[in-house]
Amino acid sequence: MPRRTVFRTLSYLCMHDVIQLLCADRRLRPFVHATSFAPWRKRYLKLRHAESMYERALRHTPTDDDACGASDEALVHAYDEALAAMHLHSAPVHLSELLCAAQLCTCESLPSPQKVQRFLVPWMLGRVGAEEAFALFDHAQAVELLYFLRVFLALVRLSRLSQPSSSSSTQYHQMFHVLDADCAEALDDFFAPPAEAPRTQQFTTEQARFVEFQVRRSDLVCVQAYAGTGKTRSLLAYAQRRPHQRFLYITFNAAAARDARQRFPPNVDCRTMHSVALQHVTLPDGQAVGPLRPRDVARWLPQLPVGKSTKATAQGRSNTLAPTTVALYVLRTLDRFMQSMDPHVRAEVHTPWSMTQSTDLAPQAVAEAAQALWDMIGTSQAPNGRRVPCPHDAYVKYLQLHPEACVRLFREYNALLLDEAQDLSACQTSILLSARGHCGVIVVGDVHQKIYGFRGGSALAFHARLYPPTATFHLTQSFRFGPEVAAIATKVLRLKAPPPWHNEREHGAWLRPRLTGHGADAVRVHGAPMARPHTRIYRTNALLAREMLWLASTLPPDASLYLKTSQTLTHRAMVDLLRDAHKLYHGQADAIPHGSPLRDFAAWKELEEHVEAEEGGDGKLGVVLSLVEAIAAPDFLERLCGLERQFVNDEKDASVILTTVHQAKGLEWDRVLVADDFSPALQARVLSLRPQVAQFGAQDELNHMYVALTRARRELVIPPCVLQWLVASEGLFRYRLTGKSRSTACGQCHARKVCLVQLCRRYAGTSRFDDRVDTLGCLRCVRQQLADDEDLEDFVRWIDMCGVSAATGQLSTTAMARTLRRYQSAAAPSPKRARTEPAHHGAAPRHERARFACLARAERAERYVHFLEEQQSRVEMWMALGSSSPCTM
């Protein structure tokens, strides 16, 4: 093909695809390395990579000063190179200088300066989005233009760090952040594959690609199936296409296995991991299978460790831990051992973190007690002669320690089908993936729906370094929700950092997840009235219980509630539990009936210690403890009776359904309201205020948030905690200046035929920023409000500096020429100053603004770190502006 055709073809590919293509055909490397191919895209990626390496060096204590200096030098070089490519005479610190840069920078890859100007002014005024560039220009030029804009915005951000601290230009205003996010979103949409409309009887291209793949006995196939993408349907089709082969379908619980037996063909055996393990493990004669209770463990272990609580206790109360509390810590240690791949109990790994934080118990003593209990389970005998039952996770652990026991089973099948593989523990994963070689293994699930970490869910089956897959498939087209919910879910997933096993040099750039949806849906924020019936999804049982009591007293008489939690915590069980809690709190423990979960506690103090020892503390007993203020109230029993009358027995009859994210997993409803108790803390910022969560605990919290958001089919209401993440990633609102219209009038001074400043409400009813707006007033009235909002001040300043007419809202050719002359005259030194000022070796001339590269290395690092640290307060300020401004959400 001609050289120009190759360039144009490559320009329509995202950089990840270009790199993959280069790996497949080295002959294309000269084309990609040519200076005329995508110069601004490569320049932006180089600047972004250099800043990422620089930030990483600052965030970690450097062991090699030379390496830290190398990252600093690389960032300075990329900054100077981008500044020179834009032909800017001084470091840019104002948005109006973008117009000058577009006039000065003329190259074949960009549209003409006159055309660029006609796009830039409406874009910076908020009248059009960045995606409008693809409607105005050739697509290859539009891509380059958006990367050109992102390079400029990055230069402004870095240049502002070098300005004097007294200057207002040191503030990194929200407006720059929103513009950069707008460009990023438009580029993502352009490079994304076109959405494929799902058909009832046919498969999507992604599903068909997986169904047609022929697995061999040596293969490990990973299928990353996002929410609502039809993973079970794909597995069903895979088995139906191969009636001559035998499959073993492993699922998470017995209910799912029963449902699968009704759906899958006869050549598929549907079982749980526990049923497979129990079949191949021989237990001692007479040993029962069942859970271990703390009171029994305290009797079985005569040398149970003794300890005290390190937390402050009420006056007159002893801080010595009850034996049942210590026994519970031993059981938690044993649970973590049984879920792991370790052959023995290890104090540094398996003892609960909460124990070391709130007690003085010796971890080694607790670990030894757990190992002794494990030995008792193996013999089924306690020292006092009593029989010790075998917990369900124990016989699975036995199978992991002796994997040869089920080799014969694996050889009977052509492949294992592991559904919901992200919920498998490390122990279960080790057993099932050891089948590779004896039969094929197909791992199916959504690593982002790993929310059962407290039960051992590890998602290790997707760990590409421990278990390298033969083939990987992605199902991204959801059949459940539309494009709005898909966009919100995608933004939440993109907050997650790449997994720890991913190495860019070995695996290439990390593919950011992207969901597509179909049909009509809507996303709104808390505060708007919610139609009935609807479902409320909570992160914790504690908030669910508090709002349950609140709803019972605020809902109209004709409204009803349905509690959709665990099978053992129905609304009747909840009411009975709260009545028993009232008795325990008021010292009537003897009146609690047998069979109640609170019967084992003699006093409220024991309940507090028990919940403290539980990992997470969000079970039934944690719910009771969270309602202590309501239980202590004199009218509690009366409120409880009112709540009992509000409940219905059938979900179909309920006005409001209350559930937790763990119970909601795998389900869906038309209208969903997500509660405001999903709260991963804002972590480190990576480039242009985009947060990225790397810590394990925060990643798990994002998984919970993602699961809750993707339960909605038609309408989703997001809480402030989700909105905070969206603000951090792309901005809450932006200003725009309308054009002159005869029908418009200022609401403050009532002047007619004027341009008005409007405040756009993002996520008020759509994912687009300019769908709903609130008018602030004309420019003359708005200038009186600048002291209250520095973002508004920055917006008005750039209007004044670049010469946009307050009368028409347009930028004339004469005004543009005047702006360019002003910029060039400010950059050029006067002859008198040039003769009188001495030269400073290694420093920028005094007539120039101080560049980021002109700072001393230590000062540059200090200012950059300060910039990163202040971003959380910046996000909180934007949230406050959003709630106190006319666009209250």
Side-chain angles (χ1 to χ4, degrees):
M1 290 187 295
R3 185 181 181 88
R4 186 178 182 86
T5 304
V6 175
F7 278 170
R8 187 165 184 82
T9 302
L10 292 176
S11 66
Y12 284 93
L13 301 177
C14 68
M15 193 55 71
H16 179 270
D17 291 338
V18 170
I19 294 173
Q20 296 296 320
L21 195 58
L22 292 183
C23 296
D25 192 347
R26 293 174 176 267
R27 294 174 298 175
L28 293 173
R29 292 194 175 190
F31 294 93
V32 176
H33 290 301
T35 57
S36 56
F37 171 71
W40 289 104
R41 193 196 318 193
K42 292 188 291 188
R43 192 165 286 118
Y44 172 76
L45 294 176
K46 179 179 180 180
L47 181 60
R48 176 182 177 183
H49 177 74
E51 189 173 1
S52 177
M53 293 298 102
Y54 180 69
E55 180 178 337
R56 186 178 303 177
L58 293 180
R59 288 193 173 278
H60 297 81
T61 303
T63 57
D64 185 359
D65 190 64
D66 293 336
C68 189
S71 63
D72 179 86
E73 183 178 347
L75 176 59
V76 169
H77 177 73
Y79 171 87
D80 283 338
E81 189 180 68
L83 200 61
M86 285 199 166
H87 304 289
L88 293 172
H89 303 291
S90 60
V93 294
H94 296 296
L95 189 58
S96 60
E97 294 173 78
L98 176 55
L99 295 172
C100 302
Q103 290 289 324
L104 296 171
C105 187
T106 57
C107 60
E108 185 180 353
S109 63
L110 294 176
S112 66
Q114 293 75 22
K115 292 181 179 179
V116 171
Q117 178 188 324
R118 287 197 289 270
F119 161 74
L120 286 182
V121 174
W123 176 65
M124 290 188 290
L125 286 173
R127 297 172 188 160
V128 299
E131 70 276 1
E132 184 70 13
F134 293 101
L136 298 176
F137 309 121
D138 172 81
H139 287 181
Q141 290 185 328
V143 169
E144 280 295 281
L145 174 60
L146 295 184
Y147 276 111
F148 171 83
L149 300 178
R150 299 194 74 185
V151 169
F152 176 84
L153 294 171
L155 289 177
V156 171
R157 173 166 47 81
L158 293 174
S159 298
R160 287 188 170 209
L161 297 179
S162 62
Q163 301 308 301
S165 58
S166 59
S167 172
S168 63
S169 63
T170 59
Q171 300 294 336
Y172 174 44
H173 297 293
Q174 178 255 6
M175 181 181 175
F176 291 90
H177 174 45
V178 174
L179 292 176
D180 180 75
D182 194 23
C183 292
E185 186 174 355
L187 289 167
D188 286 342
D189 291 341
F190 175 75
F191 286 120
E196 181 182 359
R199 300 176 183 178
T200 307
Q201 301 299 329
Q202 296 184 5
F203 297 107
T204 66
T205 304
E206 295 172 330
Q207 291 174 327
R209 192 179 298 119
F210 161 65
V211 171
E212 296 298 331
F213 182 83
Q214 183 60 48
V215 66
R216 300 166 298 181
R217 290 187 179 271
S218 59
D219 285 342
L220 171 61
V221 178
C222 286
V223 182
Q224 166 61 39
Y226 294 94
T229 54
K231 63 178 177 62
T232 305
R233 180 171 178 261
S234 301
L235 282 175
L236 180 62
Y238 192 93
Q240 290 174 338
R241 292 281 184 92
R242 298 162 178 83
H244 59 285
Q245 296 184 4
R246 290 194 64 197
F247 299 96
L248 176 59
Y249 176 87
I250 301 292
T251 189
F252 188 62
N253 54 46
R258 286 194 299 268
D259 179 66
R261 292 188 192 104
Q262 299 176 358
R263 302 177 62 182
F264 278 84
N267 62 324
V268 181
D269 292 339
C270 303
R271 303 176 65 178
T272 64
M273 183 67 244
H274 288 84
S275 69
V276 171
L278 192 59
Q279 178 185 355
H280 292 86
V281 170
T282 302
L283 300 179
D285 293 337
Q287 186 178 30
V289 175
L292 303 178
R293 298 189 306 172
R295 285 196 177 276
D296 294 333
V297 173
R299 289 194 295 266
W300 296 337
L301 293 173
Q303 301 299 325
L304 194 68
V306 178
K308 297 181 179 181
S309 173
T310 57
K311 292 191 173 183
T313 57
Q315 187 175 6
R317 288 188 176 183
S318 172
N319 62 348
T320 302
L321 296 175
T324 53
T325 302
V326 179
L328 184 59
Y329 282 125
V330 173
L331 284 175
R332 293 291 172 263
T333 303
L334 182 64
D335 286 341
R336 297 181 66 171
F337 160 69
M338 292 188 296
Q339 293 161 1
S340 72
M341 293 186 289
D342 296 319
H344 304 287
V345 180
R346 298 166 56 192
E348 68 277 11
V349 175
H350 301 135
T351 51
W353 177 84
S354 59
M355 183 191 79
T356 59
Q357 297 296 310
S358 59
T359 73
D360 63 355
L361 285 170
Q364 187 60 40
V366 173
E368 291 174 358
Q371 184 66 52
L373 182 58
W374 172 250
D375 296 337
M376 292 179 197
I377 295 172
T379 61
S380 78
Q381 292 289 332
N384 57 8
R386 293 181 177 273
R387 303 286 290 183
V388 178
C390 179
H392 292 285
D393 286 342
Y395 53 79
V396 177
K397 182 64 178 179
Y398 285 141
L399 186 61
Q400 184 260 326
L401 295 175
H402 305 281
E404 66 279 356
C406 59
V407 168
R408 182 178 298 177
L409 172 71
F410 293 149
R411 288 175 178 171
E412 295 177 1
Y413 299 96
N414 294 92
L416 300 186
L417 307 179
L418 308 184
D419 198 4
E420 301 290 353
Q422 74 278 354
D423 295 327
L424 295 173
S425 68
C427 173
Q428 296 169 342
T429 302
S430 176
I431 297 170
L432 294 172
L433 268 62
S434 67
R436 184 178 184 180
H438 305 293
C439 64
V441 180
I442 301 178
V443 174
V444 183
D446 187 353
V447 69
H448 307 295
Q449 293 194 52
K450 184 187 75 66
I451 62 174
Y452 288 102
F454 63 96
R455 294 184 186 172
S458 63
L460 279 181
F462 294 92
H463 198 301
R465 184 178 298 171
L466 292 177
Y467 306 105
T470 307
T472 302
F473 299 91
H474 290 82
L475 305 183
T476 63
Q477 300 183 37
S478 179
F479 296 79
R480 178 181 299 159
F481 41 75
E484 296 296 329
V485 174
I488 295 295
T490 298
K491 288 176 174 61
V492 169
L493 289 183
R494 290 186 174 185
L495 294 168
K496 298 180 68 174
W501 53 261
H502 182 77
N503 188 312
E504 289 193 2
R505 292 184 178 180
E506 297 178 9
H507 307 105
W510 176 250
L511 281 177
R512 302 173 68 196
R514 180 185 183 87
L515 281 73
T516 57
H518 305 278
D521 63 350
V523 175
R524 298 185 292 112
V525 299
H526 269 225
M530 190 71 180
R532 291 183 294 176
H534 69 267
T535 301
R536 300 187 175 213
I537 300 179
Y538 299 85
R539 171 66 178 90
T540 61
N541 282 309
L543 182 61
L544 183 151
R546 289 197 298 271
E547 292 206 358
M548 178 180 66
L549 292 172
W550 174 76
L551 287 171
S553 59
T554 56
L555 285 175
D558 61 333
S560 56
L561 298 174
Y562 181 80
L563 189 62
K564 192 177 185 64
T565 55
S566 64
Q567 296 178 354
T568 60
L569 194 62
T570 62
H571 71 268
R572 290 189 179 89
M574 173 70 81
V575 171
D576 292 340
L577 181 67
L578 294 179
R579 283 201 179 99
D580 295 339
H582 185 267
K583 297 174 184 176
L584 181 66
Y585 183 84
H586 290 88
Q588 303 171 8
D590 294 338
I592 298 176
H594 290 281
S596 172
L598 299 176
R599 179 67 179 180
D600 291 339
F601 304 103
W604 191 265
K605 171 183 175 292
E606 287 190 21
L607 173 64
E608 292 176 334
E609 288 183 359
H610 184 93
V611 173
E612 180 108 7
E614 283 187 329
E615 288 292 314
D618 193 46
K620 291 186 291 186
L621 302 181
V623 172
V624 170
L625 199 61
S626 68
L627 296 176
V628 58
E629 294 183 2
I631 293 173
D635 63 339
F636 175 72
L637 293 179
E638 181 181 347
R639 293 176 62 190
L640 197 58
C641 291
L643 171 65
E644 192 172 13
R645 289 192 294 268
Q646 292 284 104
F647 281 120
V648 293
N649 294 321
D650 195 334
E651 179 180 341
K652 298 178 181 179
D653 300 330
S655 303
V656 180
I657 301 168
L658 306 175
T659 186
T660 62
V661 64
H662 293 96
Q663 296 301 317
K665 187 172 179 290
L667 304 177
E668 57 187 49
W669 295 272
D670 283 344
R671 286 177 289 274
V672 169
L673 183 147
V674 179
D676 193 28
D677 55 349
F678 296 79
S679 56
L682 286 170
Q683 304 287 338
R685 308 295 178 268
V686 176
L687 300 174
S688 302
L689 262 185
R690 288 185 178 273
Q692 197 171 75
V693 175
Q695 283 76 3
F696 174 80
Q699 289 251 14
D700 205 43
E701 283 297 313
L702 283 176
N703 291 345
H704 287 80
M705 187 184 294
Y706 162 69
V707 170
L709 294 172
T710 53
R711 301 307 98 191
R713 285 194 294 252
R714 292 167 45 197
E715 184 179 358
L716 172 67
V717 178
I718 59 176
C721 62
V722 176
L723 185 61
Q724 186 183 34
W725 280 104
L726 299 176
V727 171
S729 64
E730 58 186 37
L732 175 65
F733 57 82
R734 66 181 291 181
Y735 298 101
R736 72 179 185 187
L737 182 67
T738 66
K740 184 178 180 181
S741 174
R742 295 181 180 179
S743 60
T744 58
C746 176
Q748 299 186 44
C749 66
H750 305 291
R752 303 188 64 82
K753 300 182 182 180
V754 293
C755 301
L756 301 177
V757 177
Q758 293 179 329
L759 185 61
C760 306
R761 290 194 280 181
R762 198 162 194 173
Y763 301 111
T766 175
S767 62
R768 297 299 176 184
F769 69 87
D770 60 351
D771 194 62
R772 296 175 62 183
V773 296
D774 288 293
T775 301
L776 302 183
C778 63
L779 276 174
R780 184 177 64 179
C781 296
V782 166
R783 284 194 175 95
Q784 302 173 8
Q785 309 170 18
L786 300 185
D788 301 327
D789 187 349
E790 62 182 18
D791 294 318
L792 180 59
E793 179 183 1
D794 200 53
F795 179 72
V796 174
R797 182 192 298 119
W798 101 259
I799 291 176
D800 295 336
M801 292 184 65
C802 68
V804 173
S805 172
T808 64
Q810 302 294 331
L811 180 65
S812 64
T813 305
T814 305
M816 182 64 239
R818 185 167 57 249
T819 300
L820 186 59
R821 286 196 303 270
R822 184 169 62 247
Y823 171 78
Q824 291 174 330
S825 63
S830 64
K832 181 178 180 181
R833 180 182 299 176
R835 288 194 302 269
T836 57
E837 289 186 352
H840 296 272
H841 179 68
R846 292 184 181 177
H847 64 269
E848 291 190 9
R849 303 178 185 132
R851 297 182 180 181
F852 180 70
C854 297
L855 297 174
R857 175 180 160 185
E859 185 179 2
R860 180 163 49 243
E862 181 182 356
R863 294 197 181 191
Y864 193 91
V865 170
H866 177 70
F867 159 72
L868 293 174
E869 291 176 347
E870 72 175 359
Q871 298 318 314
Q872 181 168 348
S873 60
R874 177 70 58 182
V875 171
E876 292 171 353
M877 183 196 73
W878 295 344
M879 290 287 290
L881 287 175
S883 60
S884 61
S885 63
C887 68
T888 301
M889 294 181 284

